[in-house]
Amino acid sequence: MRDEVTVPVPPDLCRRCVRLLSQHVSDVPGVVSLQVGRGLLAVSGDVDAAELRAARDRAGFPMPEG
């Protein structure tokens, strides 16, 4: 099953930061593709949003949820 899951990310990430975030997120099992832009991380695949948030946080971009 392929779904799209989105989680917030800082809206002003530079290219280097996007690459770093992408590396962490692509390691999450089930990720088929990902896109970062306009303050969102959009991931296609069979993946849990909590795992994506944890990968985002490990990459150094924690966001307040709410």
Side-chain angles (χ1 to χ4, degrees):
M1 180 174 167
R2 287 175 95 175
D3 290 322
E4 182 171 280
V5 179
T6 59
V7 295
V9 296
D12 55 352
L13 293 177
C14 67
R15 288 182 184 177
R16 181 175 169 254
C17 293
V18 170
R19 282 193 303 270
L20 176 64
L21 178 61
S22 297
Q23 288 171 348
H24 281 266
V25 171
S26 64
D27 287 342
V28 174
V31 172
V32 175
S33 66
L34 63 96
Q35 184 174 1
V36 179
R38 296 186 178 170
L40 286 177
L41 165 66
V43 175
S44 294
D46 186 15
V47 63
D48 182 60
E51 290 183 57
L52 295 178
R53 287 191 296 271
R56 176 203 59 203
D57 294 352
R58 282 191 304 274
F61 306 104
M63 297 285 294
E65 301 298 327

